[in-house]
Amino acid sequence: MAAETVSHAAEAASHGGFNLIPVVVLLGAAVIAAPLFKRLGLGSVLGYLAAGLAIGPFGIGLFSDPQAILHVAELGVVMFLFIIGLEMQPSRLWSMRGEIFGLGLVQVGICIGLLTCVGLALGYPVAQSFVAGTGFVLTSTAIVMQMLEERRAMGLPRGRRIVAILLFEDLAIVPLLALVAFLAPGGENATLAGRLTAVAIGLASILGLILAGRYLLDPLFRILGKAKTREVMTAAALFVVLGAALAMQLGGLSMAMGAFLAGVLLSESSFRHQLEADVEPFRGILLGLFFLGVGMSLDLTVIAANWRLILLAVIAYMVLKTIGIYVVARLFRVGNREAIERAVLMAQGGEFAFVLYAAAASVGIIDGEANATLTATIIVSMALTPLMIILHDRLMPKPAPSMEGVEAAENLSASVLLIGFGRFGQIVSQPLLANGCSISIIETDTDAIRDAQDFGFKVYYGDGARLDILHAAGAHNARLIVIAVNDREASLKVAELVKTEFPLVPVLARSFDREHAIELIHAGVDYQIRETFESALALGQKALELMDVDEDERGRVMEDVRRRDSERFALETADGIYAGRDLIHGNTPCRDVPAGPGAA
């Protein structure tokens, strides 16, 4: 009924010109599903996939041709790779050559061998088993890149190693397509010259793009930059991305590889940040559309007819690929935790499998039903990946801190106990040490402890929220305890514990905002200060100076601000966070709107 209604509406809209209904439906599905699933802790990728399934031909049927959307939405993957390339300077990429052609080659090779065995075990011929397994080896660049970005791991060493493997898989699609042609019935008769010609065309495409990027792109953007026309720069950015993608596609390579190389070539350009800002909005929208298209492509009819085979294939492929990735990671001396994370992130098949299966079907290695079944297997694995990541994050124990070069607090004795040695604690220590006070410092961040050693500080490992640690750190003998931890809940817990167990020791605490300061006062601390209070006042005083306010007037104003803040804080401590609002200098005549609880 919904599909019929939309169909009539679309027909009516078409008489008046361009039909906006599909665009509105797609954007509406993305706007609703992605934030909802992210709020539920399921991730935006799964939200897009679910929305695509819901509005596609096997959901409520608002769309009948998901492939048309997928072809356009693949540009999202292309632009994503361009932005990744902008972050990869040529020198940095060259330093990754060992990971790309070493780690990437070994992982792809081992996984192809393992996954080919699945088809052989089910009784399929070697060529079909090889094509089916190889397609699943090619990981989804779109999903993994999105996951790395959401986990903020893109710039970390473990993220760079995954990117290196994905780059090799992008390169591998060319020889794999050539191999598919060779495995086709009669393909062994293909001439060596033909295969060498295909390889030469691919290499020539790469070389041509590198030369164009080195000698043409930066001068082009310099000329356009002088025109100071923003829309022309945006058009030029899109022209470069799509032109590079097209050049690689014509050369038999992947569009994503072309966009990545274009990004690398522009990574040292002075226009790099402008390009990134211009492309980013298109990348985000099209990548979301890509996942929507994948969800629409999930053919429930094929799954229903072949559900046992698809279920077996998904389990076998994902399990064996996970094992292969884990083993390779460990062979390359990667830690157990990173190896497991990489295996879970890359366990699915990817969008390049669709290309490989289509090529295999066109030359007769697999038939149409096998192509649909394998495609459904890939899509199901892509849909399962966000769920696997959630299970991984919930089931994996939190990493134990490395204690190498770190001493635990034990039998310490000093006049001052400083709990927490971040940016705030480091500054607090200076006047005390300058005056010759003895200080015992404890911290839970082992990396911060090791870094502090390089600057002449002896910091011990210890959690101030534990009574046994406080005793080991000498809290019972200290003349003063300073709480400077970078966690509002932890600092409140430490304050309550210290004032309960050591009521005669004065306690000074760092607070994050007014609400936290009030909580610390109620916990019994003797003095607290909001971490930004004095620095903000100093900046405000400098602002008055630059506004040509004379020195006496500046002093009067600053004294009035401090007095009002002190009186307001006293009222808030007694009557709640909204007390004393009349003491705030506001910039509107209406003062009925309360300040937020986190106000400074």
Side-chain angles (χ1 to χ4, degrees):
M1 184 66 181
E4 188 177 349
T5 303
V6 172
S7 177
H8 290 318
E11 186 179 351
S14 64
H15 292 302
F18 181 70
N19 182 13
L20 283 174
I21 291 178
V23 178
V24 172
V25 171
L26 285 170
L27 294 177
V31 167
I32 294 171
L36 177 61
F37 273 68
K38 205 164 185 180
R39 183 72 179 269
L40 294 173
L42 300 176
S44 60
V45 173
L46 192 58
Y48 287 126
L49 292 173
L53 179 60
I55 65 177
F58 302 97
I60 58 178
L62 296 179
F63 290 87
S64 58
D65 186 14
Q67 292 301 320
I69 295 171
L70 264 178
H71 289 318
V72 176
E74 282 174 6
L75 295 177
V77 182
V78 169
M79 292 184 182
F80 203 171
L81 265 293
F82 176 72
I83 290 176
I84 298 300
L86 286 175
E87 301 295 330
M88 295 273 187
Q89 286 80 16
S91 57
R92 183 177 168 191
L93 191 62
W94 178 251
S95 69
M96 292 172 62
R97 65 191 184 280
E99 293 170 338
I100 295 173
F101 295 101
L103 176 60
L105 176 62
V106 173
Q107 177 172 308
V108 168
I110 288 180
C111 288
I112 286 177
L114 288 173
L115 270 58
T116 300
C117 293
V118 174
L120 295 175
L122 292 173
Y124 290 96
V126 174
Q128 292 183 15
S129 301
F130 174 81
V131 169
T134 301
F136 205 97
V137 167
L138 302 176
T139 309
S140 172
T141 301
I143 286 182
V144 175
M145 289 294 197
Q146 182 81 357
M147 290 291 182
L148 288 175
E149 189 176 51
E150 289 183 359
R151 298 164 76 83
R152 298 178 181 176
M154 194 79 75
L156 301 178
R158 70 178 195 272
R160 288 198 298 269
R161 283 188 278 270
I162 291 176
V163 171
I165 297 170
L166 292 173
L167 289 175
F168 181 82
E169 290 180 356
D170 278 356
L171 287 170
I173 189 65
V174 181
L176 288 175
L177 287 172
L179 198 53
V180 164
F182 178 78
L183 292 173
E188 64 274 7
N189 298 323
T191 64
L192 176 63
R195 290 197 288 271
L196 291 177
T197 300
V199 173
I201 291 174
L203 293 175
S205 299
I206 295 175
L207 180 61
L209 184 58
I210 291 174
L211 291 175
R214 186 172 183 85
Y215 298 108
L216 298 179
L217 291 186
D218 205 51
L220 170 66
F221 282 104
R222 195 174 295 114
I223 293 171
L224 295 176
K226 291 179 180 178
K228 296 181 179 180
T229 308
R230 179 66 186 269
E231 62 271 18
V232 173
M233 290 293 290
T234 302
L238 293 174
F239 170 76
V240 168
V241 177
L242 300 180
L246 178 62
M248 290 296 101
Q249 188 181 44
L250 294 175
L253 298 168
S254 72
M255 292 193 297
M257 175 57 62
F260 176 80
L261 284 176
V264 171
L265 294 171
L266 287 168
S267 61
E268 294 179 339
S269 166
S270 56
F271 301 96
R272 168 188 157 193
H273 297 293
Q274 166 111 25
L275 290 169
E276 189 171 357
D278 287 339
V279 171
E280 180 65 29
F282 299 97
R283 189 275 301 180
I285 293 173
L286 289 172
L287 197 59
L289 285 179
F290 174 79
F291 292 125
L292 282 168
V294 170
M296 292 182 206
S297 301
L298 195 58
D299 193 330
L300 298 184
T301 305
V302 172
I303 293 177
N306 303 278
W307 69 269
R308 291 184 180 86
L309 178 60
I310 292 173
L311 178 63
L312 179 61
V314 168
I315 294 173
Y317 282 145
M318 294 190 78
V319 169
L320 286 176
K321 188 177 180 183
T322 299
I323 293 172
I325 294 171
Y326 178 82
V327 169
V328 170
R330 297 295 283 169
L331 285 175
F332 279 77
R333 299 180 180 179
V334 168
N336 181 63
R337 191 177 190 87
E338 181 184 334
I340 293 175
E341 182 186 42
R342 184 190 302 171
V344 173
L345 275 171
M346 304 186 75
Q348 82 291 135
E351 49 275 1
F352 286 135
F354 305 147
V355 178
L356 197 69
Y357 294 156
S362 68
V363 296
I365 296 179
I366 59 176
D367 58 22
E369 184 178 352
N371 185 15
T373 302
L374 289 171
T375 300
T377 302
I378 296 292
I379 294 173
V380 170
S381 74
M382 293 169 76
L384 287 176
T385 300
L387 296 175
M388 290 177 60
I389 293 294
I390 293 168
L391 288 175
H392 166 272
D393 292 344
R394 292 182 179 177
L395 296 178
M396 280 293 288
K398 290 184 178 180
S402 170
M403 297 298 290
E404 183 180 354
V406 175
E407 292 183 40
E410 189 175 353
N411 298 323
L412 303 183
S413 178
S415 58
V416 178
L417 172 59
L418 177 57
I419 304 172
F421 202 62
R423 55 188 173 85
F424 194 90
Q426 293 164 20
I427 298 172
V428 170
S429 71
Q430 292 305 286
L432 294 168
L433 291 170
N435 197 51
C437 299
S438 59
I439 301 182
S440 294
I441 308 172
I442 61 173
E443 170 63 62
T444 56
D445 186 339
T446 54
D447 291 331
I449 293 173
R450 282 185 283 268
D451 291 341
Q453 293 174 0
D454 297 334
F455 293 90
F457 291 99
K458 181 63 178 178
V459 182
Y460 296 89
Y461 180 81
D463 183 358
R466 288 175 48 184
L467 183 58
D468 58 329
I469 298 297
L470 290 175
H471 278 290
H476 51 291
N477 293 323
R479 293 177 54 192
L480 183 67
I481 295 176
V482 179
I483 303 172
V485 296
N486 189 27
D487 185 322
R488 60 186 300 154
E489 298 299 327
S491 67
L492 188 60
K493 186 176 180 181
V494 172
E496 291 170 346
L497 180 61
V498 167
K499 293 306 295 184
T500 299
E501 298 296 329
F502 315 106
L504 300 180
V505 181
V507 177
L508 283 64
R510 160 206 196 172
S511 62
F512 289 79
D513 52 37
R514 303 186 78 85
E515 190 174 21
H516 187 228
I518 293 169
E519 292 172 341
L520 289 170
I521 292 294
H522 289 157
V525 300
D526 299 275
Y527 179 81
Q528 60 70 37
I529 186 166
R530 284 159 278 154
E531 59 180 359
T532 58
F533 183 66
E534 290 295 337
S535 56
L537 287 182
L539 185 64
Q541 187 168 2
K542 184 65 178 179
L544 290 178
E545 179 183 340
L546 295 176
M547 293 296 291
D548 297 326
V549 179
D550 65 66
E551 186 175 355
D552 291 340
E553 181 62 14
R554 292 201 304 269
R556 187 198 65 76
V557 169
M558 298 309 296
E559 182 181 352
D560 177 68
V561 171
R562 286 181 179 277
R563 177 187 59 78
R564 284 171 172 266
D565 183 85
S566 178
E567 292 177 5
R568 180 186 165 205
F569 187 76
L571 291 170
E572 290 170 335
T573 303
D575 300 324
I577 194 68
Y578 294 123
R581 284 175 292 169
D582 292 339
L583 293 167
I584 302 174
H585 289 290
N587 66 341
T588 61
C590 179
R591 304 300 304 280
D592 296 331
V593 179

